[in-house]
Amino acid sequence: QRGIISNNKKLIVYPKTGDIEYYNLEKDPWETTNLINKKSSTVEVKKLLKQLKDWQVKVGDAVKVSEKI
């Protein structure tokens, strides 16, 4: 799994299954409500996915993460 936290938002990607989870840690610190299917989350999820992929390139992590939202 790969994950990133930025501005109290958390994105977790599971490369083997293609699953993605997205949480607003400010409103949901226990990560009980996955917001990945909310249309209002799309822009932030895309931003976090890009940040995660940029980090993977920087550190040489070749694991492919899903781009489907």
Side-chain angles (χ1 to χ4, degrees):
Q1 83 188 29
R2 301 293 183 270
I4 186 166
I5 298 173
S6 180
N7 296 322
N8 280 322
K9 307 294 191 296
K10 181 176 184 178
L11 184 78
I12 306 168
V13 180
Y14 298 89
K16 289 185 179 181
T17 63
D19 293 334
I20 301 175
E21 297 178 11
Y22 173 68
Y23 300 98
N24 180 332
L25 298 176
E26 186 175 349
K27 295 180 181 177
D28 181 20
W30 298 106
E31 301 172 20
T32 59
T33 305
N34 184 1
L35 302 172
I36 195 64
N37 293 320
K38 291 218 174 246
K39 289 188 185 240
S40 60
S41 300
T42 303
V43 171
E44 187 66 29
V45 168
K46 286 182 179 182
K47 260 196 267 184
L48 288 172
L49 272 172
K50 182 180 179 335
Q51 289 176 7
L52 178 61
K53 289 178 183 184
D54 289 348
W55 174 83
Q56 286 184 286
V57 169
K58 182 178 177 180
V59 300
D61 181 0
V63 173
K64 183 168 173 42
V65 296
S66 176
E67 295 183 19
K68 69 175 184 166
I69 300 174

